[in-house]
Amino acid sequence: TRILKYWTQSTDVRVELTSTRRVALHRYTFPAWSEQPRIVVDITNDGGQSSTNPVMTIDPTSGRVVG
């Protein structure tokens, strides 16, 4: 497995990505000065092959997204 690391100069966000055939992991590190860091995840962008009512939750303590 290969881990790709990417840093966006315009937003100062560090992105780390890795994947296998069926799973992908993302980690986003926002700068300390970010007041309201946000990401947008389109969990239905698969050509309509998945559920039409997707569910995802965010742990308020860790910020971990599950779904």
Side-chain angles (χ1 to χ4, degrees):
T1 302
R2 183 176 171 194
I3 297 175
L4 300 175
K5 295 184 179 184
Y6 181 72
W7 173 69
T8 58
Q9 186 175 2
S10 61
T11 61
D12 206 23
V13 175
R14 189 176 83 192
V15 180
E16 297 172 82
L17 308 169
T18 189
S19 66
T20 64
R21 188 172 184 181
R22 297 180 185 219
V23 175
L25 295 175
H26 303 212
R27 178 169 33 193
Y28 302 89
T29 306
F30 293 87
W33 50 263
S34 293
E35 293 181 19
Q36 294 183 330
R38 299 282 188 265
I39 61 169
V40 175
V41 179
D42 181 357
I43 59 175
T44 63
N45 188 16
D46 66 355
Q49 296 179 21
S50 66
S51 171
T52 57
N53 189 23
V55 176
M56 106 176 155
T57 57
I58 302 175
D59 183 302
T61 304
S62 68
R64 185 175 185 167
V65 177
V66 178

